[in-house]
């Protein structure tokens, strides 16, 4: 497989130019540690100009915040080493906690503030009176690096985020159509987790890229609004496809679709699979009209007819979702003033919000705090001269990989590549740099390895190799304007870096074992609590509640894939919540006995979900059947179809309801 394309080579050349510029500026300003400016360029640089500017801005804010924290803590606590070690460890853990809760590129501010305090504070412990000067110089070095990275990225062949987002959206649309075609194919109707995982991955990438649009000078501001409008529609595809698969499975159990429904399903499959064209648009318009007519069941419709009506309702929603996503994607790619009129009022059903997993964030923060404090204890007890380097590296690698379920392998991998980086730095320090006498030859000597580092960072497959090499090599080399090298200092510093990362890996493995199963159970419990709230008549902000459930589905998808589980239950919970909220909205148009019947159903469901039983109670099934009879008598199609969906979610294996018994119960 070829990892490196022309865009990768362009990125590495631009990054090298930015790095040498930062190094030259640092020499010119006589900064004490110019190698930090060089390392900062490689940390901040991204293939897309908007992403580089975004990361540079967040890194600048995090650097200032972290330096301020170090200036506050070190002078006041330096006389009590244990208190200082504890304060610095807690600071890093607290910042990591805030970063993990954010889950957007903005969280980088907090993560960087955590380990910047370690970078600035720990080396100043032996000379606390220099803390302000050290903080100022370190901030200047980092700001020089990120400024050079941002300027070169925006001025030299900038690569805009906008077209990349449009490309990702177009790819997602193709994947979504493929998933829909499979869901409608008689031979491929079984749930396919590969589709779910690919679509989830696409949405996550699109949202992460879209977060950088505001920092891209080439992107129009209305592009942000289009992405915000398209994402909820993309998310809604998941429960809609799941519901379609469920209705088709139910009809198979009931003897198969009627001829009319079979024809509509085949037409829907053809429309979804067809490329965009005038004829396809005409076929889709006619199909939407026919589906709308078929989704209006009569009052005396059989259970089979209700299932078919519910299927047609979801098929129409599927067409609307794909139409809206295609219209918004074209508008973003072609920079049209306004997209074609949208069909789905998704904003009334789901709000895009993010689940805050306080438990996982606290667990990761506690692990980081313990690891840094352990390094500090070793440093204090042994009076280790390079102990500050070990504590600093523990803070850096612990923060970088804390978002992973099992960060230990990544930390160990970082440590392994650090050894290689130290070897490269040693070759330069003792064999090459003694023969370098001006900046031009220095840049020429550094070009081979730093161009290679840039290539490794540019490719997603190799960034885990390139990043530690680019961070550690200049640090271990300790590039200065005047050549200086001591073998003993170099070896001790390199060993301290490796020791800090090794200790971080050991503490992480001891305190924080692989947590995928644990997180999956937490998300399942949170969704069950959301169903309790959805059925609570006193609850409000329904759109936010469903948005949280859908966000947990996105968090669960890669975890479920990693541990070999599937996603049907999470999708079923989401559909259950949507049907409950639809029933609650329809309830508002009722009064008297019909309204009380729906209220009774919601109370049954709330008690059943609160009990956390594996399956809802029989009383809930009877309450749904009585509510179905009520909806029939009231002639409320929306309520009737939401109850059909609710029954399928909670009692899919139960036989069809007997109309005579439910109607008699009402009478």
């Amino acid at each position: 497989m070829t990892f490196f394309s022309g865009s990768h080579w362009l990125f590495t050349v631009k990054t090298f130019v930015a790095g040498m510029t930062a190094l030259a500026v640092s020499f010119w300003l006589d900064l004490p540690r110019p190698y930090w400016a060089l390392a900062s360029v490689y940390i901040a640089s991204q293939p897309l100009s908007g992403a580089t500017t975004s990361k540079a801005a967040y890194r600048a804010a995090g650097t200032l915040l972290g330096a301020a924290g170090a200036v506050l803590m070190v002078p006041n606590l330096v006389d009590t080493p244990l208190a200082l070690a504890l304060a610095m460890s807690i600071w890093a853990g607290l910042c990591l906690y805030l970063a993990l809760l954010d889950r957007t590129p903005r969280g980088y501010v907090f993560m960087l503030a955590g380990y910047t305090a370690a970078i600035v504070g720990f080396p100043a412990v032996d000379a606390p009176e220099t803390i302000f000067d050290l903080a100022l110089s370190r901030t200047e070095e980092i700001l020089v690096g990120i400024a050079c990275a941002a300027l070169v990225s925006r001025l030299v062949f900038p690569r805009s985020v906008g077209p990349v987002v449009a490309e990702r959206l177009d790819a997602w649309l193709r994947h979504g159509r493929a998933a829909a075609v499979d869901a409608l194919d008689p031979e491929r109707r079984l749930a396919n987790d590969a589709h779910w995982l690919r679509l989830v991955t696409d949405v996550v990438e699109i949202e992460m890229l879209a977060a950088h649009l505001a920092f891209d000078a080439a992107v129009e501001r209305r592009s942000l609004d289009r992405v915000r409008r398209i994402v909820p529609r993309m998310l809604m595809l998941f429960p809609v496809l799941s519901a379609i698969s469920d209705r088709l499975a139910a009809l198979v159990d009931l003897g198969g679709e009627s001829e009319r429904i079979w024809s509509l399903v085949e037409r829907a499959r053809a429309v979804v699979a067809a490329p965009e064209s005038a004829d396809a648009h005409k076929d889709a318009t006619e199909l939407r009209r026919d589906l709308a007519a078929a989704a209006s069941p009569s009052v005396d419709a059989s259970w089979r007819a209700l299932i078919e009506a519910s299927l047609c309702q979801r098929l129409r929603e599927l067409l609307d979702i794909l139409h809206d996503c295609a219209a918004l994607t074209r508008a973003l790619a072609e920079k049209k003033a306004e997209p074609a009129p949208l069909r789905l009022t998704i904003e009334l059903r789901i709000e895009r919000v993010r689940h805050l997993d306080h438990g996982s964030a606290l667990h990761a923060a506690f692990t980081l705090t313990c690891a840094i404090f352990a390094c500090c204890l070793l440093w204090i007890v042994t009076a280790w001269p390079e102990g500050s380097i070990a504590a600093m590296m523990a803070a850096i690698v612990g923060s970088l990989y804390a978002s992973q379920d099992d960060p230990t392998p990544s930390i160990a991998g970082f440590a392994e590549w650090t050894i290689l980086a130290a070897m490269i730095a040693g070759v330069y320090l003792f064999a090459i740099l003694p023969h370098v006498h001006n900046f031009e030859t220095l840049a020429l000597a550094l070009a081979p390895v730093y161009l290679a580092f840039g290539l490794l960072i540019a490719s997603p497959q190799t960034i885990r190799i390139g990043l530690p090499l680019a961070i550690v090599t200049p640090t271990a080399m300790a590039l200065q304007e005047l050549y200086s090298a001591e073998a003993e200092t170099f070896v001790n510093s390199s060993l301290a870096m490796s020791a800090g990362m090794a200790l971080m890996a050991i503490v992480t493995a001891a305190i924080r074992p692989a947590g995928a199963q644990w997180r999956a159970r937490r998300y399942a419990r949170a969704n069950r609590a959301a169903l309790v709230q959805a059925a609570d008549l006193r609850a409000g902000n329904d759109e936010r509640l469903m948005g949280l459930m859908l966000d947990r589905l996105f968090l669960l998808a890669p975890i479920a894939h990693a541990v070999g589980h599937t996603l049907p239950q999470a999708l079923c919970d989401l559909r259950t919540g949507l049907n409950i909220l639809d029933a609650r909205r329809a309830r508002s148009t009722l009064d008297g006995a019909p309204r009380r019947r729906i209220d009774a159903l919601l109370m049954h469901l709330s008690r059943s979900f609160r009990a956390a039983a594996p399956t809802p109670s029989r009383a809930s099934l009877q309450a749904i059947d009585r509510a179905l009879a009520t909806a029939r008598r009231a002639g409320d199609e929306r309520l009737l179809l939401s109850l059909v969906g609710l029954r399928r979610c909670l009692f899919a294996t139960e036989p069809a309801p007997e109309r005579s018994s439910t109607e008699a119960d009402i009478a």
Side-chain angles (χ1 to χ4, degrees):
M1 180 182 291
T2 301
F3 290 148
F4 307 124
S5 64
S7 61
H8 294 145
W9 282 102
L10 176 61
F11 168 77
T12 193
V13 171
K14 288 170 58 178
T15 305
F16 179 71
V17 170
M20 292 304 101
T21 303
L23 200 58
V25 171
S26 299
F27 288 160
W28 178 62
L29 294 176
D30 197 24
L31 296 177
R33 294 171 182 81
Y35 52 87
W36 274 108
L38 176 58
S40 295
V41 168
Y42 279 82
I43 294 172
S45 293
Q46 301 285 310
L48 303 176
S49 56
T52 299
T53 305
S54 157
K55 195 169 185 180
Y58 292 139
R59 185 170 179 81
T63 298
L64 293 171
L65 184 59
V71 169
L72 286 175
M73 286 183 284
V74 172
N76 294 311
L77 298 173
V78 70
D79 293 331
T80 52
L82 286 177
L84 177 59
L86 184 60
M88 295 284 282
S89 303
I90 292 175
W91 169 272
L94 176 62
C95 290
L96 178 63
Y97 170 76
L98 296 175
L100 293 178
L101 287 184
D102 191 279
R103 287 179 50 211
T104 69
R106 186 179 56 239
Y108 189 58
V109 172
F110 303 109
M111 184 178 72
L112 193 70
Y115 68 73
T116 296
I119 292 173
V120 173
F122 286 136
V125 168
D126 293 331
E129 69 280 359
T130 65
I131 181 62
F132 183 80
D133 292 336
L134 180 59
L136 179 61
S137 62
R138 189 62 52 87
T139 301
E140 290 172 340
E141 291 149 8
I142 292 174
L143 291 179
V144 166
I146 61 180
C148 291
L151 286 173
V152 171
S153 179
R154 297 188 73 158
L155 297 178
V156 182
F157 300 108
R159 188 182 175 201
S160 177
V161 178
V164 178
V165 173
E167 290 173 10
R168 293 287 197 277
L169 286 170
D170 189 61
W172 179 90
L173 196 57
R174 292 196 304 272
H175 297 160
R177 289 184 181 278
V181 168
D182 278 1
L184 296 171
D185 191 327
E187 298 179 358
R188 307 178 67 178
R189 285 180 183 169
L190 294 178
N192 188 343
D193 274 11
H195 279 313
W196 301 132
L197 186 63
R198 182 169 63 180
L199 290 171
V200 166
T201 302
D202 287 345
V203 174
V204 171
E205 289 181 357
I206 289 167
E207 285 203 292
M208 292 298 289
L209 285 170
H212 303 299
L213 285 172
F215 294 87
D216 196 325
V219 173
E220 297 178 344
R221 290 293 170 259
R222 59 189 173 190
S223 297
L224 291 169
D225 178 65
R226 286 167 187 165
V227 174
R228 293 191 186 104
R229 294 165 72 186
I230 198 174
V231 167
R233 289 166 171 80
M234 296 165 69
L235 302 180
M236 194 64 186
L237 182 69
F238 292 85
V240 167
L241 282 182
S242 177
I244 288 172
S245 297
D246 173 79
R247 303 303 184 271
L248 290 171
L251 289 174
V252 169
D253 293 339
L254 294 171
E257 308 99 323
S258 65
E259 185 175 345
R260 178 192 184 195
I261 298 302
W262 181 86
S263 175
L264 289 172
V265 170
E266 289 300 302
R267 287 171 61 192
R269 186 159 65 92
V271 165
V272 168
E276 292 288 326
S277 65
D279 290 340
H281 179 73
K282 179 181 177 182
D283 292 343
T285 301
E286 293 176 354
L287 178 58
R288 288 183 71 253
R289 184 177 60 248
D290 294 343
L291 287 171
S296 299
S298 61
V299 173
D300 60 346
S302 65
W303 178 247
R304 176 197 178 99
L306 290 177
I307 293 290
E308 291 182 340
S310 179
L311 171 63
C312 292
Q313 179 193 44
R314 300 309 176 198
L315 286 174
R316 193 166 185 266
E317 288 181 352
L318 171 64
L319 297 181
D320 290 347
I321 289 171
L322 295 177
H323 168 272
D324 289 357
C325 290
L328 288 165
T329 300
R330 281 196 303 271
L332 186 66
E334 300 171 7
K335 299 183 179 179
K336 292 182 179 179
E338 278 299 327
L342 303 181
R343 294 172 176 169
L344 198 68
T345 54
I346 188 64
E347 292 79 9
L348 299 178
R349 301 187 71 187
I350 288 182
E351 177 184 344
R352 185 62 177 120
V353 290
R354 297 181 186 276
H355 170 69
L356 301 181
D357 193 348
H358 293 276
S360 295
L362 281 172
H363 195 190
F366 177 73
T367 302
L368 180 66
T369 300
C370 291
I372 297 174
F373 190 66
C375 280
C376 291
L377 284 179
L378 181 62
W379 174 17
I380 293 169
V381 170
T382 62
W384 188 11
E386 285 77 24
S388 62
I389 298 176
M392 179 180 69
M393 292 307 298
I396 292 173
V397 297
S399 299
L400 288 176
Y401 298 110
S403 61
Q404 299 180 0
D405 285 310
D406 183 13
T408 305
S410 296
I411 295 172
F414 196 105
E416 292 171 1
W417 291 111
T418 293
I419 295 172
L420 176 59
M423 294 171 63
I424 294 172
V427 171
Y428 267 90
L429 200 56
F430 300 107
I432 298 176
L433 293 185
H435 305 288
V436 171
H437 303 294
N438 55 44
F439 184 80
E440 291 78 8
T441 54
L442 173 64
L444 188 63
L446 294 176
V449 293
Y450 278 92
L451 288 172
F453 294 165
L455 282 175
L456 293 171
I457 292 173
S459 174
Q461 294 93 335
T462 54
I463 189 173
R464 62 182 181 83
I465 301 173
L467 195 59
L469 292 176
I471 292 174
V472 175
T473 301
T475 306
M477 204 184 306
L479 275 174
Q480 304 285 343
E481 188 169 10
L482 298 176
Y483 174 76
S484 174
E486 293 182 8
E488 183 179 355
T489 301
F490 171 77
V491 171
N492 289 337
S493 298
S494 300
L495 290 175
M497 284 192 285
S498 299
M501 287 181 277
L503 188 56
M504 182 73 227
I506 292 170
V507 174
T508 301
I511 299 179
R512 192 183 170 194
Q517 293 276 11
W518 175 68
R519 287 181 67 191
R521 289 193 294 269
R522 285 176 56 82
Y523 295 150
R525 288 195 297 268
N527 275 345
R528 187 50 59 105
L531 292 179
V532 173
Q533 189 175 351
D536 188 347
L537 294 172
R538 298 165 298 179
N541 206 345
D542 302 339
E543 300 81 13
R544 180 178 178 81
L545 193 63
M546 290 300 98
L548 285 171
M549 291 187 69
L550 192 49
D551 189 59
R552 291 185 198 109
L553 174 68
F554 276 67
L555 294 172
L556 181 61
I559 296 173
H561 177 73
V563 298
H565 288 181
T566 55
L567 296 176
Q569 187 56 51
L571 285 164
C572 185
D573 287 344
L574 178 60
R575 286 168 32 221
T576 300
L578 288 169
N579 283 305
I580 289 174
L581 296 180
D582 285 345
R584 280 181 53 185
R585 293 190 186 100
R587 159 192 173 275
S588 62
T589 63
L590 304 175
D591 54 20
R595 182 163 181 155
R596 290 194 295 273
R597 181 68 71 191
I598 304 304
D599 291 349
L601 166 62
L602 293 174
M603 286 188 289
H604 271 292
L605 292 175
S606 181
R607 285 196 296 268
S608 182
F609 294 141
R610 191 174 287 110
T615 57
S617 63
R618 297 292 301 179
S620 296
L621 174 61
Q622 294 167 2
I624 291 175
D625 289 344
R626 289 192 292 267
L628 277 167
T630 298
R632 287 180 185 276
R633 293 170 63 88
D636 192 320
E637 292 179 5
R638 183 173 62 164
L639 176 60
L640 189 57
L641 292 181
S642 67
L643 293 172
V644 170
L646 188 59
R647 196 181 196 276
R648 283 296 305 169
C649 288
L650 299 178
F651 301 99
T653 59
E654 293 291 332
E658 298 179 6
R659 287 191 53 196
S660 58
S661 63
T662 54
E663 289 178 353
D665 181 77
I666 288 179

